[in-house]
Amino acid sequence: MFMTQLEMARQGQISDLVREAAAAENIDPEILRQKIAAGTAVICRNNKHLNARPLAVGEGLRTKTNANIGTSGDDTSIDKELEKAKVAAAAGADALMDLSTGGPIDDIRAAIIAETDLCIGSVPLYQAACDAVLRQGKPIVDMTVDDIFDGVKKHLDDGVDFITVHCGVIRDTVARMEREGRLLEVVSRGGSFTVEWMLHNNAENPLFEFYDRLLELVRPYDAVLSLGDGFRPGCLADATDRAQVQELIILGELTQRAQEAGIQVMIEGPGHVPLDQIEANIKLQKRLCHGAPFYVLGPLVTDIAPGYDHITAAIGGTVAGAAGADFLCYVTPSEHLRLPTVEDVHEGVMAVRIAAHAADIVKKIPGAIEKDNAMARFRKNLDWEGQFSVAIDPAKARRIRKESGVDESHGACTMCGALCAYKVMNERKREKAAS
């Protein structure tokens, strides 16, 4: 009889995927099994994604990072997105989300899944919307319930490991949002599609109304449900308002229903959040959603830095991760401006990895601070190859040093040259030892 990873964990069984993921985390498989059984960790790996490494996400584990890629109606190049996938993987991203909405999106998704062994996520509602508009020639609001569920099935059949579904976007929350007032209303694409569909059809969100159908559909694939934040704040002024919190309450209830059906769940979160509200947002999610893993976009801590939003997101991501967020989605310098370039993808992955590592130091994840201690020892000894070996971006560090025109005879860098503090202190110790 088929059992999901959650069901096996609750039966006390340690699956091969759990063993493999635990080895990657350098923890006892039994500890990981217990976390999965409790719903505080998940194993992302669709049964049909045979070339994928299982990715463990959750409490007490290394903070994971995701890179969003995918086409738009203005740029439909498969080759560009495949190059971004390669660059993101080489830069150290743990997962990729294909958010394609332009061109041959089925072919693009299949190519991205085949390109790496990374965990893959997607938003199936985009598929349904694109099929409605581009293939059937009808407005998004005329999608049928079957169209929406067919989109989900298509992505699961292709091997997507976690799917974002905006099940918490319901009519009552829309009314609450409108009564309270928001500057940017709904900035989530999936959320906006769902709101417009509900208003046009005078009907409830099908992914909420027919949630049991969704659970039955997902179960054979053992994919992770990533319950999307359709009401995530798109600016600081909208953060932690009643629409966002009401959706989170609903997602907590849906988390319990999914877990009771043997389906693994993680929760998606904001968005744009002032620095002093981030920790409260994380703690609220963990409380309302019973400790389910939390996946956040950023969060961005200011709205005025287009071109530098990878930095604003890294600031927020560090605070979020340190407070307990488990999965950080990158933001590139192109956020709010354009589809990211290959170079933007690399910069975005590096920024989010820095945030994740800084958070892991606070979380006392085994092996995190040891890397920093190794860097300190290499710096003390002016061991440049050692420094490059533990640097988060060795190629960039090596290039910058080479471009400086440094005089290698004194072993230091061009910041201090022969007056390098390490050099002075090392010479002092040698003199003291010789006396």
Side-chain angles (χ1 to χ4, degrees):
M1 178 180 176
F2 170 75
M3 288 198 295
T4 66
Q5 291 296 323
L6 177 55
E7 289 169 334
M8 283 189 282
R10 288 181 168 174
Q11 290 290 326
Q13 300 180 32
I14 300 176
S15 71
D16 290 341
L17 293 182
V18 169
R19 291 186 189 280
E20 184 178 346
E25 293 291 319
N26 197 28
I27 64 170
D28 189 323
E30 172 60 18
I31 293 176
L32 181 54
R33 182 201 67 78
Q34 292 174 11
K35 293 178 185 296
I36 295 168
T40 60
V42 298
I43 295 289
C44 291
R45 209 277 203 155
N46 185 322
N47 288 335
K48 290 206 167 188
H49 193 181
L50 300 181
N51 68 322
R53 288 178 282 135
L55 182 67
V57 179
E59 179 187 46
L61 307 176
R62 180 176 60 83
T63 306
K64 304 306 188 298
T65 60
N66 174 71
N68 288 341
I69 59 175
T71 59
S72 72
D74 293 319
D75 192 337
T76 62
S77 170
I78 294 181
D79 291 340
K80 285 183 183 179
E81 297 315 309
L82 288 180
E83 182 64 20
K84 292 176 190 177
K86 294 176 185 177
V87 166
D94 296 298
L96 298 171
M97 282 200 81
D98 173 29
L99 306 181
S100 294
T101 57
I105 59 177
D106 291 332
D107 295 338
I108 293 166
R109 182 172 58 259
I112 290 172
I113 290 173
E115 184 60 41
T116 78
D117 61 357
L118 295 184
C119 172
I120 303 294
S122 70
V123 185
L125 188 59
Y126 294 176
Q127 176 87 51
C130 290
D131 284 350
V133 173
L134 301 177
R135 297 184 182 182
Q136 301 176 40
K138 63 184 182 183
I140 291 174
V141 292
D142 286 341
M143 289 186 296
T144 67
V145 173
D146 285 341
D147 287 338
I148 294 171
F149 278 91
D150 287 346
V152 173
K153 188 175 188 306
K154 182 184 286 286
H155 284 224
L156 293 171
D157 280 335
D158 284 349
V160 171
D161 301 294
F162 66 96
I163 56 169
T164 295
V165 280
H166 299 88
C167 304
V169 177
I170 64 172
R171 299 176 74 186
D172 179 62
T173 310
V174 174
R176 289 171 185 264
M177 177 191 70
E178 291 177 339
R179 285 194 298 270
E180 181 173 23
R182 265 189 169 195
L183 279 182
L184 290 183
E185 297 181 308
V186 180
V187 299
S188 158
R189 274 189 294 188
S192 68
F193 295 168
T194 304
V195 169
E196 288 305 301
W197 189 95
M198 290 189 298
L199 294 175
H200 177 82
N201 292 283
N202 192 30
E204 188 54 90
N205 176 1
L207 293 174
F208 176 79
E209 184 175 2
F210 305 109
Y211 189 62
D212 289 338
R213 176 179 175 182
L214 177 64
L215 299 180
E216 291 173 3
L217 179 58
V218 171
R219 179 182 166 79
Y221 303 90
D222 205 6
V224 171
L225 275 186
S226 188
L227 297 179
D229 49 343
F231 291 104
R232 70 173 181 265
C235 62
L236 301 189
D238 294 339
T240 326
D241 69 352
R242 69 173 66 134
Q244 179 194 336
V245 174
Q246 175 67 17
E247 181 181 30
L248 194 58
I249 292 171
I250 294 166
L251 295 185
E253 296 169 351
L254 296 179
T255 296
Q256 285 185 297
R257 287 175 59 185
Q259 291 173 345
E260 288 168 0
I263 308 299
Q264 299 181 98
V265 174
M266 61 183 175
I267 308 297
E268 296 186 13
H272 294 237
V273 182
L275 196 65
D276 62 340
Q277 294 182 27
I278 293 175
E279 183 176 0
N281 269 258
I282 304 303
K283 289 182 177 179
L284 186 63
Q285 181 274 337
K286 290 289 185 176
R287 177 66 183 89
L288 293 176
C289 298
H290 310 280
F294 201 19
Y295 169 52
V296 296
L297 177 64
L300 283 74
V301 296
T302 180
D303 298 331
I304 64 167
Y308 299 92
D309 277 330
H310 59 310
I311 297 175
T312 64
I315 294 169
T318 301
V319 177
D326 308 288
F327 202 174
L328 306 181
C329 184
Y330 85 168
V331 172
T332 76
S334 293
E335 188 77 9
H336 304 110
L337 299 172
R338 68 177 182 193
L339 204 65
T341 63
V342 169
E343 292 76 18
D344 292 332
V345 167
H346 178 82
E347 289 297 305
V349 172
M350 288 302 169
V352 76
R353 284 188 60 210
I354 293 168
H357 178 71
D360 285 347
I361 293 172
V362 176
K363 293 176 178 176
K364 302 189 184 306
I365 299 297
I369 191 65
E370 285 78 4
K371 295 177 182 178
D372 295 79
N373 292 341
M375 177 64 85
R377 288 190 288 270
F378 289 134
R379 282 180 174 157
K380 175 180 174 60
N381 295 323
L382 297 175
D383 181 345
W384 294 99
E385 287 304 315
Q387 291 179 55
F388 298 149
S389 73
V390 295
I392 200 163
D393 190 348
K396 185 172 185 178
R398 190 185 299 275
R399 174 177 58 78
I400 290 175
R401 176 166 172 79
K402 183 178 181 181
E403 290 174 351
S404 71
V406 65
D407 179 1
E408 296 289 356
S409 65
H410 55 59
C413 74
T414 58
M415 178 69 75
C416 299
L419 300 179
C420 170
Y422 306 139
K423 187 177 180 66
V424 170
M425 294 305 295
N426 289 342
E427 289 176 352
R428 175 180 174 275
K429 290 186 72 172
R430 283 194 294 270
E431 291 172 0
K432 184 177 180 180
S435 61

